[in-house]
Amino acid sequence: MTTNASAPTQVTERRTVDVPGRSPILSALQEALPLPVHDGGNGNGARRVLSPKRPAVETAGLADAFPYYAGFSFDWATSCISNTQLKGVLTVLDPWNGSGTTTLAANTLGHSVVGLDRNPVASVVAQLRCKVPMNVEPIRFSSLRIRASARTQNDPLNYWFDDITTARIRAWTSHLEHASPSNRTMGLVAAFRAVRSLTKHFEGSNPTWVKRASENEERLCFTHSEIDEAFFSEQVFLASRLSSVPRTSASVSLLTADSAALPLATNSIDIIVTSPPYLTRIDYAVAYARELAVLGIDVFSEKTLRKALMGTTLTRQASMTPSLLGPMAEALLSDISQHASKASSSYYMKQAKQYLNDLNSGLRESARVSKPGAEMHLVVQDSYYKDVLVPLAEICIEEAKRYGWELQEHEMFPVKRLLTTLNTSARAYKKGDVSESVITFTRRKHD
Ligand SMILES: C[S@@+](CC[C@H](N)C(=O)[O-])C[C@H]1O[C@@H](n2cnc3c(N)ncnc32)[C@H](O)[C@@H]1O
C-alpha cells in the first residue's frame, strides 16, 4: 500500500498489451490466465469492492496512532470481513499484519483474530490498537532518576541522539519494563512517536529510509524535561484516541513470527485479510530503524531482522536453494536476469528470487492453515524493475492457485505515484501505468 491509488478501475478485460517492459514470455503466460469479468457483485453494475488505499489522513480504527507505512484502510478491512458469506464467530488471520488494521477490524466485529508480523515494531503498534483498554492513564517520569551508570555505548539511539539524550530515553524504556502491560505498550508507542518527531530532519524524500548522524555534532541534544514532556504528551494523545475506539472481548492474538512458517494449526482459519510487502525493495527494518532502536535493536550493525523480512535488499544464503515457483514468477526472474543493466543477472535476480520464494511460502502456509471454503482478500501492487513490469497480482494469483486458492474476484485500482520515481536512476527507464489490486480467493473444498 505504497501509493496514491485514485478512482478504482473494474477489471473487465485483460490488460496485457502495450505495456513497456512486458516480456513476450510473460504476455503469453498472462493471456493463458483469464480473469473473471463481473458487475461488482450486486447485479446492477455498482461496485462492491472499496479501494483499500488508506486516506491521506485516516483516524478510523486508530490509524493515526502511528503512521505505519503501507497500511490499508480500516474501512476496507472491515468491509472484507463484514461482507463475508461465512456464518458465526469466525477466526480471521493477517500473516503480514503490520500495524494491526485487520486485527482491529476483526475484533470490533466480534471475531477471533490472529495477526502476525516479523517486525516487532508492528506488533507493539497492533497491541496498542487492539488490546490497550480505553481507560489507560498516561504515566509521568519526572521523578525518574537516571543511574549514573546508564550506558549509552553501543545504544542504537546514539545514531541520532547524543549520550545525555540517549540515556534519558533509555531510562524511560527501562522504566516501562516494570509498568503494566497496557502502560508499557502505550509508553512504547509514545516513545516511537516522540523519537520519530524529534528526528524528523533525518528523513528524506523516501519515506522508507532514514539517515543517521554522520558526525558527533549532528547528534541531537534535548534536555531531560524536553524528553519527558514529549513522552508524556504523546501518551496523552494516545490515551485520548484510545477512548474513542470500542473493542470487543473477542480473542486477539498478536505474534512476532514469520509468514513462511505460521505457528498455527492446519485448517484453523476462516478469513485472511492481508497485504504482503511488494517487490519494491522496501527495507521495513530500516524504515523503522528508530522505533527498533527504542526497542534496543540495532538494524545497522545486526542484520538478522533485516535479512528475515520479506522484500529485504539483503540476500540470504539459504534462499538460493531451488524454488517451487510457477511459470510466471520464473519468467519474471528470467527477464530480470537478462536485463542489460549492471548486476541484473547477479544481485537483482537473487533478490527478486528470494522475495518470490518468500511470497510463495507465505501463500502456501496461508492455504495450509485455512479451512476448506475459507476466504482470502489480498492487496498487492504491480511495480517495475528498471523497465520490466513486475506483474505481482498475476504472479500471486498463479502461486495461490497452486496451493488450492480459487480466484473469485480481481479488482484493480490505478496508482498515481510509484515509489521508484523518487529514485533518479530508476526514473531513467520507461514505465507504463501500474495498479494496486484487490484479489479475492476461496480455499478449495477438496484437494
Ligand atoms: C504491506 S505491510 C502490511 C500493512 C498492514 N496491512 C497495515 O494495515 O498496517 C507488510 C508487512 O509485512 C511484514 N513482513 C515482512 N516480512 C515478513 C515475514 N517474513 N513474516 C511476517 N511479516 C513480514 C512487514 O514488517 C510489514 O509490516
Side-chain angles (χ1 to χ4, degrees), residues 263-337:
L264 301 174
T266 299
N267 290 355
S268 56
I269 299 296
D270 298 290
I271 307 185
I272 297 179
V273 179
T274 195
S275 175
Y278 309 147
L279 187 45
T280 44
R281 299 174 45 74
I282 291 174
D283 193 322
Y284 279 91
V286 175
Y288 296 101
R290 289 166 290 177
E291 292 76 14
L292 287 162
V294 168
L295 299 180
I297 300 170
D298 180 348
V299 295
F300 298 109
S301 72
E302 164 46 48
K303 305 245 161 62
T304 312
L305 176 62
R306 266 183 92 183
K307 281 196 173 180
L309 289 171
M310 191 175 152
T312 177
T313 50
L314 306 179
T315 51
R316 306 169 213 131
Q317 287 297 320
S319 67
M320 294 308 121
T321 51
S323 72
L324 296 169
L325 296 173
M328 211 175 275
E330 289 292 359
L332 173 64
L333 292 177
S334 160
D335 285 350
I336 293 176
S337 77

Side-chain angles (χ1 to χ4, degrees), residues 279 281 311-313 315 347-355:
L279 187 45
R281 299 174 45 74
T312 177
T313 50
T315 51
Y347 166 74
Y348 288 104
M349 198 282 288
K350 276 190 192 164
Q351 194 259 341
K353 183 173 178 184
Q354 174 174 281
Y355 169 86

Side-chain angles (χ1 to χ4, degrees), residues 135-212:
N135 57 356
V136 63
E137 293 279 345
I139 44 179
R140 276 209 178 268
F141 281 43
S142 48
S143 60
L144 189 73
R145 287 230 194 91
I146 297 191
R147 281 167 289 127
S149 63
R151 288 186 52 209
T152 59
Q153 246 184 357
N154 298 329
D155 191 312
L157 288 166
N158 251 165
Y159 287 126
W160 303 280
F161 298 104
D162 72 356
D163 289 351
I164 293 173
T165 314
T166 295
R168 188 67 178 179
I169 299 174
R170 194 52 72 211
W172 268 86
T173 60
S174 308
H175 188 78
L176 287 174
E177 283 165 25
H178 308 288
S180 71
S182 294
N183 274 118
R184 177 167 188 273
T185 303
M186 188 166 81
L188 284 175
V189 179
F192 296 164
R193 289 176 57 90
V195 163
R196 189 159 269 246
S197 120
L198 296 173
T199 55
K200 200 139 198 68
H201 85 266
F202 288 101
E203 294 171 8
S205 57
N206 180 344
T208 65
W209 195 263
V210 61
K211 293 187 275 261
R212 287 167 278 170

Side-chain angles (χ1 to χ4, degrees), residues 47-213:
R47 296 182 59 81
R48 191 158 62 91
V49 179
L50 281 179
S51 166
K53 183 176 159 43
R54 183 174 270 180
V57 181
E58 186 182 39
T59 52
L62 275 179
D64 54 335
F66 182 75
Y68 199 79
Y69 181 74
F72 45 55
S73 92
F74 181 72
D75 289 346
W76 176 78
T78 304
S79 76
C80 291
I81 303 167
S82 52
N83 287 338
T84 182
Q85 306 294 314
L86 302 168
K87 302 273 180 269
V89 174
L90 304 169
T91 304
V92 181
L93 166 69
D94 188 340
W96 292 287
N97 190 42
S99 57
T101 311
T102 301
T103 39
L104 180 59
N107 175 268
T108 54
L109 294 168
H111 298 298
S112 298
V113 64
V114 183
L116 186 143
D117 202 288
R118 186 67 182 76
N119 178 358
V121 169
S123 304
V124 174
V125 177
Q127 292 273 352
L128 175 88
R129 290 174 81 187
C130 302
K131 289 199 159 179
V132 175
M134 286 177 147
N135 57 356
V136 63
E137 293 279 345
I139 44 179
R140 276 209 178 268
F141 281 43
S142 48
S143 60
L144 189 73
R145 287 230 194 91
I146 297 191
R147 281 167 289 127
S149 63
R151 288 186 52 209
T152 59
Q153 246 184 357
N154 298 329
D155 191 312
L157 288 166
N158 251 165
Y159 287 126
W160 303 280
F161 298 104
D162 72 356
D163 289 351
I164 293 173
T165 314
T166 295
R168 188 67 178 179
I169 299 174
R170 194 52 72 211
W172 268 86
T173 60
S174 308
H175 188 78
L176 287 174
E177 283 165 25
H178 308 288
S180 71
S182 294
N183 274 118
R184 177 167 188 273
T185 303
M186 188 166 81
L188 284 175
V189 179
F192 296 164
R193 289 176 57 90
V195 163
R196 189 159 269 246
S197 120
L198 296 173
T199 55
K200 200 139 198 68
H201 85 266
F202 288 101
E203 294 171 8
S205 57
N206 180 344
T208 65
W209 195 263
V210 61
K211 293 187 275 261
R212 287 167 278 170

